[in-house]
Amino acid sequence: MDSILLTIKKMLGLTEDYKHFDIDIITDINMSLNILCQLGVGPQDGFIITGEDEVWSDFIDDKRLEMVKTYIYLKVKKIFDPGTSTAMNTAADAQIKELEWRLNVQVDPGE
């Protein structure tokens, strides 16, 4: 599955044809993409999706950055379906912070 939107929808447990929450999910994905661009991941001039047509290779072409998919999923899930377990939310926050650090390290040449 190459579509950014469809990948995240699947990870959230939604089917491709269920479009009721697409605008919410797209908005949350774009927020996550913006954060990644600020960290130096993705195109320098930024990146957004508008629907199902944008694919992962439009945003990243480095196999070492595959963790972007997990990062975006976790960020979207925290907003879209945060859950009620404090322990799960704390674990997700820790994973998000670790992924941000790892992604930043991966793209920073450490001059």
Side-chain angles (χ1 to χ4, degrees):
M1 181 174 299
D2 289 335
S3 167
I4 296 171
L5 176 60
L6 295 181
T7 300
I8 299 303
K9 282 176 69 170
K10 181 175 183 344
M11 293 173 85
L12 290 169
L14 301 172
T15 61
E16 288 183 24
D17 60 336
Y18 189 72
K19 305 204 182 286
H20 185 72
F21 294 110
D22 279 9
I23 189 67
D24 304 272
I25 296 168
I26 289 169
T27 301
D28 297 340
I29 289 170
N30 285 336
M31 182 248 343
S32 302
L33 291 167
N34 185 275
I35 291 169
L36 288 169
C37 287
Q38 289 177 345
L39 292 173
V41 178
Q44 286 186 339
D45 58 345
F47 187 84
I48 63 167
I49 69 167
T50 57
E52 298 177 5
D53 294 333
E54 294 82 14
V55 295
W56 291 107
S57 60
D58 293 337
F59 183 67
I60 55 167
D61 58 2
D62 185 340
K63 292 178 184 174
R64 298 171 301 160
L65 298 176
E66 281 290 311
M67 64 186 110
V68 159
K69 296 173 184 177
T70 302
Y71 175 80
I72 292 174
Y73 160 70
L74 289 170
K75 291 291 282 184
V76 171
K77 179 150 177 57
K78 283 278 298 172
I79 297 167
F80 180 73
D81 183 21
T84 58
S85 168
T86 302
M88 292 297 288
N89 285 329
T90 301
D93 287 339
Q95 185 67 46
I96 288 167
K97 286 179 183 172
E98 179 180 351
L99 288 168
E100 286 175 342
W101 181 83
R102 290 184 181 281
L103 286 161
N104 188 256
V105 166
Q106 189 64 48
V107 298
D108 185 0
E111 304 169 312

